[in-house]
Amino acid sequence: MIRLVPTTPLTPQRDPWEPLFNATPPAYKLTSVEFTVTNMCNLRCEHCAVGDTLMLRDDEILPMELILKRLDEAEDLLTISITGGEPMYSEQTVKKTILPLLQYATRRGLRTQINSNVSLPFSRYELLLPFLDVMHISWNWSNEEEFHNIVYAKAKQKVSIKQAGMLFQTMMDNARKLSDAGVFVSAESMINIRTHDKLDVLHRQIREMGCQRHEVHPMYPSDFARDMEVLSLDQVRAAIHHLLDVRDENMWMLFGTLPFFACSPSEVDRELILRLREAKNVTVRNDPDGRNRLNINVFTGECIVTDFGDVEPLGNIRHDSLSDMFARWQAHPINQTISCHCPAAKCAGPNLLVANAYYPETNFRERRALI
């Protein structure tokens, strides 16, 4: 198989999904576009960020010519990401939506990522292998029983632990096969009430699956997860310290949407920030959503700031350019409440979920880095 993706490797020093990559705030650039390509999924995970929007069938997508025309207009574009639902759920979605987007990205030299649970037949992934940089998967379960309890928490049908166990094994096998095929497999674990005391186990499993990167993100109350217990900052901090104690230093570890900042008056927060900075093969990615990335719904054409569900659509690709919609968000009153940047700390501040969960009364634009 011939791989057609760019040959420059993705490394801790070169992460094109990072908002500060090739950009100097406040002049953020629209360098990343994410596509919602399906509202269907074979799982109903309790922590799902889009669980309430999942459906049993999809509508027709907009003409691909229109979608690609809007991408052509985004001159600073570096990456595209594909999400859902489960993007690989329908073979038709793979062939008619995902493949043309990845082929376009390859022609243009863009980096590509698919967010998938990798639980479907491997033949569905093989068609995309020449054009795919990163396969982003979730890994929040250390055994078959945990997997069953988490991924079918919101399912209407009964699923046995044996059935769940077969899917659990398929996911591990597919991750290994994708990695063996040259795809950069990045496994994300959430820090929540179920995982915070077993991140070391998840890390070991992720390494054994051949993944090149372990991503770690605290869970914030949203959609299906809105009723799950939110960890205290002390619990999140302790979980990260423990993981740093036991991790494989040869694996890239990427932390994202952390609720800890260099401007914090808390000494323990600043100690953690320093440890993250000094750790080998560890990066802390600023959240792309609303900084360098927008999300396009291929069915409606609506464009949103991905994780901020209570912010109305910024426009529609039927009649708006991506640059106009991106500018609309930059000027948005909600964005103004969280839009801060500290060059000294290379920090773009909290996103809206982080601010609302832990810092509802804090004005980050008035704070300055203390380390």
Side-chain angles (χ1 to χ4, degrees):
M1 182 197 68
I2 299 175
R3 297 268 290 159
L4 301 176
V5 298
T7 57
T8 306
L10 299 168
T11 68
Q13 295 74 37
R14 187 178 181 84
D15 177 9
W17 276 269
E18 162 61 50
L20 302 185
F21 186 80
N22 284 3
T24 304
Y28 282 110
K29 297 179 181 178
L30 179 62
T31 60
S32 188
V33 172
E34 182 177 70
F35 291 94
T36 295
V37 300
T38 183
N39 294 305
M40 298 189 294
C41 187
N42 57 325
L43 305 179
R44 289 296 186 273
C45 301
E46 64 182 357
H47 54 260
C48 182
V50 295
D52 283 339
T53 66
L54 295 178
M55 303 166 63
L56 297 178
R57 63 180 298 274
D58 281 330
D59 296 326
E60 286 293 319
I61 71 166
L62 293 173
M64 186 57 64
E65 294 78 10
L66 171 62
I67 295 171
L68 299 185
K69 177 177 181 289
R70 290 306 185 205
L71 291 179
D72 281 338
E73 296 169 354
E75 297 178 354
D76 297 314
L77 206 57
L78 297 174
T79 72
I80 67 167
S81 300
I82 292 172
T83 190
E86 168 49 53
M88 312 301 290
Y89 185 78
S90 163
E91 196 167 351
Q92 177 173 310
T93 300
V94 173
K95 292 180 177 179
K96 293 189 175 181
T97 307
I98 300 176
L99 185 58
L101 287 171
L102 295 185
Q103 290 173 329
Y104 170 89
T106 299
R107 292 193 299 271
R108 191 168 163 181
L110 309 178
R111 310 312 292 244
T112 57
Q113 174 175 303
I114 294 178
N115 303 331
S116 172
N117 60 39
V118 292
S119 67
L120 295 156
F122 191 73
S123 58
R124 204 160 294 179
Y125 302 92
E126 286 182 302
L127 186 64
L128 308 178
L129 292 180
F131 314 103
L132 180 62
D133 282 295
V134 179
M135 179 62 78
H136 177 277
I137 70 174
S138 293
W139 198 256
N140 299 293
W141 28 77
S142 62
N143 56 52
E144 295 174 359
E145 184 175 357
E146 286 180 3
F147 176 74
H148 176 269
N149 292 339
I150 293 171
V151 306
Y152 295 112
K154 301 287 184 176
K156 294 181 180 179
Q157 76 277 19
K158 293 286 186 180
V159 178
S160 69
I161 292 183
K162 182 178 179 180
Q163 289 174 297
M166 293 172 63
L167 208 60
F168 180 80
Q169 186 62 49
T170 295
M171 293 166 70
M172 289 192 291
D173 292 343
N174 281 346
R176 292 189 187 99
K177 290 178 182 178
L178 287 163
S179 183
D180 290 343
V183 175
F184 187 101
V185 182
S186 184
E188 176 188 331
S189 299
M190 304 181 76
I191 308 177
N192 61 25
I193 194 64
R194 287 188 181 271
T195 65
H196 73 103
D197 59 352
K198 60 187 66 171
L199 290 175
D200 53 345
V201 178
L202 303 180
H203 182 71
R204 185 173 64 251
Q205 292 174 321
I206 287 167
R207 182 182 58 200
E208 291 170 353
M209 287 190 293
C211 301
Q212 289 87 339
R213 185 171 65 194
H214 186 185
E215 295 189 33
V216 179
H217 299 253
M219 188 200 75
Y220 296 95
S222 176
D223 208 80
F224 276 2
R226 59 182 169 266
D227 296 324
M228 289 184 69
E229 180 180 342
V230 178
L231 296 179
S232 69
L233 290 174
D234 287 342
Q235 288 174 304
V236 176
R237 196 185 304 108
I240 294 172
H241 273 299
H242 179 61
L243 183 55
L244 291 173
D245 288 339
V246 301
R247 73 183 182 94
D248 179 358
E249 290 190 344
N250 294 314
M251 176 185 286
W252 179 1
M253 176 156 284
L254 185 154
F255 291 90
T257 55
L258 291 186
F260 308 111
F261 304 95
C263 59
S264 172
S266 167
E267 184 177 353
V268 290
D269 283 2
R270 299 196 304 271
E271 287 175 353
L272 177 58
I273 293 295
L274 285 174
R275 185 177 186 188
L276 290 166
R277 286 182 186 175
E278 296 167 0
K280 178 184 176 182
N281 286 330
V282 168
T283 58
V284 178
R285 181 192 281 172
N286 289 286
D287 184 24
D289 291 325
R291 297 199 172 88
N292 67 323
R293 179 167 74 188
L294 296 174
N295 174 279
I296 298 172
N297 186 307
V298 300
F299 307 106
T300 66
E302 290 183 341
C303 186
I304 61 172
V305 181
T306 311
D307 280 342
F308 305 152
D310 53 353
V311 177
E312 69 278 2
L314 300 166
N316 195 299
I317 63 169
R318 287 188 174 99
H319 43 72
D320 296 308
S321 71
L322 292 175
S323 59
D324 285 347
M325 290 185 282
F326 186 66
R328 214 167 281 160
W329 169 246
Q330 298 304 304
H332 199 289
I334 291 179
N335 185 45
Q336 297 306 306
T337 67
I338 57 170
S339 181
C340 63
H341 171 243
C342 178
K346 298 181 180 178
C347 176
N351 73 12
L352 200 61
L353 294 174
V354 176
N356 287 345
Y358 292 111
Y359 303 101
E361 305 300 326
T362 301
N363 185 343
F364 279 86
R365 302 183 73 175
E366 296 178 349
R367 298 190 355 175
R368 296 292 181 269
L370 300 175
I371 51 174

